[in-house]
Amino acid sequence: MVGAAETLSATAIGPGFARLAWVVAVLPLVSAALTLFFGKRTPGRGWIYGVAAMSAGFVLSVLVLWHFVQGGGAVGSSVTWFTIGPLHVEAGQYVDGLTAIMLIVVTAVSLAVHVYSIGYMHDDVRFTWFYVVLSVFTAAMLNVVIADNLIQLLVGWEVMGLCSYLLIGHWWEERINSNAAIKAFITTRIGDVPFMFGIFVLIAATGFHSANIQQVGELVGGPDVSRGLVSVAALLLFGGTIGKSAQFPLHVWLPDAMQGPTPVSALIHAATMVAAGVYLVGRMYSVFLHAAPEVLGFVGIIGGITMFGAALLALVQDDIKRVLAYSTVSQLAYMVTAMSVGPAGRDAAFFHLFTHAFFKALLFLGAGCVIHAVHSNNMSDMGGLWRRMPVTFWTFAFGSAALAGIPPLAGFWSKDELLVAASKGHAVVFTLMLVTALVTAFYTTRMVMLTFLGPYRGHGEPEEAPAVMTGPLVALALGTVSVGFLGAALTRGVFFKWVFFEVPEPVTFVLWVATLSILAAGLGVLAGWYVYRERPEPDPVFQLGWLSSVLVNKFYLDEVYMNGIVLPVRDRLAAAAVWFDRNVLDGMVNGTARLTKDLALGTDEFDRTVVDSAVNGVAQAAGFTGGLLRYLQSGNVQRYAAFLFVGVVVLAIVITRI
């Protein structure tokens, strides 16, 4: 039974701008509509609508965060969307500190991407359409962030999947681009299937009372809710994270997604799609806590495999965007792995998600400037660009140092919190994080040296990108330098107070953890510099024998999927379809044709023997009678007089006889 909108409910502690968080999500939808209908008739082909919407959204997001900086509480409001039995599905918003931080991340990065794309996509034939989809993509993620219920979150989740397909395949004329878009769409949909079932199981486990995220979080800990069902729901929900956040074994779509325009890569990797999976686990963390301990253990295993494996794969990439893609997979796995160690890890994971957005967006947009200048994605076609592109080089260097975990940049502080959380009784996770940090620093140094140092190995004369592209780099570099201090001990971890309202344990600087973190990063940087200082040819990472082969072939996982799943299923289905077509469909069509033909022949015979005979007989009779009448109606007066005389005589004889 579907009902109209009902009463508006609110649980607000202090109104302020927090109540207007929904406007932030609506603004890009408005800009998408304006760009679609008026973009091509607007000076600049419509970018102004998206930039204006994101600018206003960022300002409003800052004001929403200010509500929590001042100590305000969570704000929630909703209207009933429809009702099915006891279940009330609502559309609304739930705004707490986590929501406010994510609004800042999404709007800040999206604003940088919108501005940057003015220069990067300037000559694109579908420039206006690009901005339409970019705005819808941003709106979908913002809907996920503010959603107060699982059904509304699912809507934004799926719209993001559609937009990623459209943006990755923006240059669909080249088959490699369309294939990458299809691969991303199908792979993430595979993860979405268990995610949707997880939502249904979770609603069923709580007695079909509500799909509201906060209410579900409270109900799962009750005595009437089966822990087994909660565990199943948590595992199914995590399937969505595996797909969206590109965790093993569904990580294979993200590196191929680099075929899309670079601004899209920055938005996907830093603020929208892949961040949504981590956000989901954190937002639904009470479900994972009330599930069986083995569930978080499974989360940690998947995260650990992905974290270290993706870092190794980044070592052997020549495409600069693929290096960053595998880096994103690894960094997201850092967050997922940390969540498996408990609430402290959850808090640290969100802090790393926050800082990672700034320096990873910076790195992708910086890579875009380089690609724009040298017309190649391959680092083997680069080198020596630091003099030719100084702004790009220095901002990229800041982002790379943050990724490597060099203090005092943002990546150091957030990675340090991850290590601190893992150091408390999780030795295996802690050790794996340290080793991954070393590998991360090595491949990051390799990337910088091959791209910016040494002799230039490309063609043409690369120049610095225009200000509309370097401006966002500078802004993101400033964020990379500064935002890490929000979670540091010297600011008493204000980030955690804003997001979670209270910090269970004071944020302290753990010297031995920080020392090991710096040593791992330093060793990685020094090793990278030592190996690549002379620009050795061939690249040493390809001279490791079987290990190089395994890494170059991406652990052969794509081949396993293609040869073990895709081709057999595709070929068998194709063969079955051909047989069905030839023996069933063609048989039905041919049988219908034969029946029609036989009916036609029978109809023709009936027409010739019966209908034609009848018609011909009528015609002959008419001809005969017509022939007689021809003699009677000749127009000859004498003949008429003779006929009249004969008729009178005959009539007289008949009457006389009577």
Side-chain angles (χ1 to χ4, degrees):
M1 181 178 66
V2 180
E6 296 177 358
T7 58
L8 183 70
S9 61
T11 57
I13 308 173
F17 288 97
R19 287 183 178 274
L20 299 178
W22 63 271
V23 178
V24 180
V26 171
L27 285 172
L29 285 179
V30 174
S31 72
L34 292 174
T35 307
L36 178 63
F37 292 109
F38 306 108
K40 292 184 178 180
R41 295 188 291 274
T42 303
R45 293 185 290 172
W47 60 261
I48 186 64
Y49 300 118
V51 172
M54 285 299 97
S55 299
F58 176 71
V59 172
L60 185 54
S61 298
V62 172
L63 295 174
V64 171
L65 178 61
W66 185 248
H67 168 78
F68 299 99
V69 173
Q70 292 180 309
V75 175
S77 59
S78 62
V79 293
T80 299
W81 192 2
F82 59 87
T83 301
I84 303 177
L87 177 63
H88 296 275
V89 179
E90 302 170 336
Q93 64 174 355
Y94 180 78
V95 187
D96 59 3
L98 177 58
T99 305
I101 287 293
M102 290 302 297
L103 290 178
I104 293 285
V105 168
V106 177
T107 55
V109 174
S110 184
L111 175 59
V113 168
H114 273 74
V115 174
Y116 180 92
S117 299
I118 298 171
Y120 192 89
M121 303 294 293
H122 182 265
D123 297 324
D124 192 83
V125 294
R126 290 186 289 274
F127 180 91
T128 302
W129 173 247
F130 175 83
Y131 269 89
V132 171
V133 184
L134 203 64
S135 293
V136 177
F137 196 17
T138 304
M141 180 60 188
L142 290 170
N143 176 70
V144 169
V145 171
I146 69 170
D148 74 335
N149 68 86
L150 291 167
I151 305 300
Q152 182 181 341
L153 187 150
L154 178 63
V155 171
W157 187 278
E158 294 302 324
V159 173
M160 273 197 296
L162 173 62
C163 291
S164 68
Y165 167 76
L166 296 173
L167 290 170
I168 294 168
H170 181 74
W171 295 318
W172 52 265
E173 293 86 351
E174 296 184 35
R175 188 173 182 83
I176 189 173
N177 299 334
S178 60
N179 285 346
I182 293 170
K183 184 177 183 179
F185 186 80
I186 292 176
T187 306
T188 53
R189 295 289 76 70
I190 291 172
D192 288 353
V193 172
F195 172 54
M196 287 187 285
F197 278 103
I199 292 176
F200 302 150
V201 171
L202 197 57
I203 294 174
T206 54
F208 295 96
H209 291 298
S210 176
N212 183 278
I213 294 173
Q214 303 306 312
Q215 293 180 11
V216 167
E218 295 172 358
L219 291 172
V220 291
D224 298 330
V225 177
S226 167
R227 193 178 191 186
L229 275 180
V230 174
S231 300
V232 171
L235 287 172
L236 292 172
L237 290 177
F238 186 60
T241 297
I242 290 176
K244 270 290 192 290
S245 290
Q247 299 297 287
F248 175 84
L250 298 182
H251 65 281
V252 293
W253 70 269
L254 193 55
D256 287 353
M258 297 304 95
Q259 296 301 136
T262 300
V264 173
S265 302
L267 194 59
I268 289 176
H269 285 250
T272 54
M273 192 151 164
V274 297
V278 176
Y279 174 81
L280 171 68
V281 176
R283 179 57 85 186
M284 304 300 299
Y285 201 65
S286 60
V287 175
F288 288 84
L289 286 179
H290 288 101
E294 291 77 12
V295 173
L296 281 178
F298 176 75
V299 170
I301 291 172
I302 294 297
I305 293 172
T306 310
M307 175 176 62
F308 185 60
L312 291 178
L313 292 177
L315 287 172
V316 297
Q317 304 303 315
D318 187 38
D319 186 327
I320 187 173
K321 287 175 64 178
R322 284 181 179 265
V323 175
L324 296 174
Y326 281 114
S327 170
T328 298
V329 174
S330 181
Q331 295 302 304
L332 291 169
Y334 253 108
M335 306 170 203
V336 171
T337 306
M339 287 186 176
S340 70
V341 305
R346 185 274 313 267
D347 299 355
F350 273 122
F351 184 38
H352 195 54
L353 181 66
F354 175 65
T355 63
H356 176 265
F358 290 92
F359 62 76
K360 188 51 65 69
L362 169 59
L363 289 171
F364 266 108
L365 297 185
C369 289
V370 173
I371 294 168
H372 188 266
V374 303
H375 306 290
S376 174
N377 286 30
N378 297 328
M379 295 184 292
S380 55
D381 297 327
M382 301 174 187
L385 297 176
W386 75 277
R387 292 184 183 274
R388 303 166 188 252
M389 307 177 67
V391 177
T392 301
F393 167 67
W394 286 110
T395 53
F396 195 91
F398 277 113
S400 299
L403 174 60
I406 303 299
L409 301 175
F412 166 75
W413 297 109
S414 56
K415 193 173 292 185
D416 186 67
E417 288 301 318
L418 293 170
L419 289 169
V420 169
S423 68
K424 300 174 181 178
H426 302 275
V428 175
V429 173
F430 179 79
T431 303
L432 191 58
M433 284 184 171
L434 274 180
V435 175
T436 304
L438 189 151
V439 177
T440 301
F442 181 87
Y443 71 66
T444 302
T445 304
R446 171 180 178 266
M447 175 178 63
V448 172
M449 296 190 72
L450 291 179
T451 303
F452 292 100
L453 304 182
Y456 177 56
R457 300 177 295 276
H459 304 284
E461 292 296 326
E463 298 178 351
E464 184 62 272
V468 73
M469 294 171 66
T470 56
L473 298 186
V474 174
L476 290 169
L478 292 174
T480 299
V481 172
S482 60
V483 297
F485 291 103
L486 296 176
L490 54 91
T491 61
R492 297 182 180 179
V494 293
F495 174 89
F496 302 105
K497 294 178 181 177
W498 298 344
V499 173
F500 304 107
F501 305 117
E502 61 180 16
V503 183
E505 298 180 10
V507 176
T508 57
F509 184 75
V510 182
L511 182 60
W512 70 271
V513 173
T515 301
L516 290 177
S517 175
I518 295 171
L519 282 175
L523 285 174
V525 171
L526 287 175
W529 173 83
Y530 180 79
V531 171
Y532 290 95
R533 71 191 189 286
E534 301 292 342
R535 305 296 178 275
E537 291 292 344
D539 194 320
V541 295
F542 299 117
Q543 306 301 308
L544 302 177
W546 64 269
L547 180 58
S548 293
S549 298
V550 170
L551 295 180
V552 168
N553 288 283
K554 298 171 285 189
F555 300 113
Y556 298 97
L557 198 57
D558 280 332
E559 285 76 7
V560 170
Y561 286 160
M562 182 60 67
N563 298 321
I565 300 176
V566 176
L567 292 181
V569 171
R570 187 191 69 184
D571 293 348
R572 289 169 185 166
L573 287 176
V578 170
W579 182 90
F580 184 79
D581 177 65
R582 290 177 178 175
N583 295 278
V584 179
L585 295 181
D586 285 356
M588 293 173 61
V589 172
N590 293 336
T592 303
R594 282 194 294 269
L595 178 61
T596 304
K597 181 180 178 181
D598 292 342
L599 288 174
L601 290 174
T603 303
D604 180 67
E605 184 66 22
F606 180 80
D607 177 66
R608 285 189 286 105
T609 58
V610 179
V611 177
D612 284 357
S613 297
V615 172
N616 292 336
V618 172
Q620 291 173 357
F624 174 77
T625 55
L628 294 175
L629 291 174
R630 182 178 60 197
Y631 292 101
L632 296 175
Q633 296 182 351
S634 62
N636 190 311
V637 177
Q638 291 85 349
R639 184 175 295 178
Y640 290 164
F643 287 159
L644 179 62
F645 177 75
V646 172
V648 170
V649 171
V650 171
L651 184 61
I653 293 172
V654 171
I655 294 173
T656 303
R657 292 292 180 94
I658 294 174

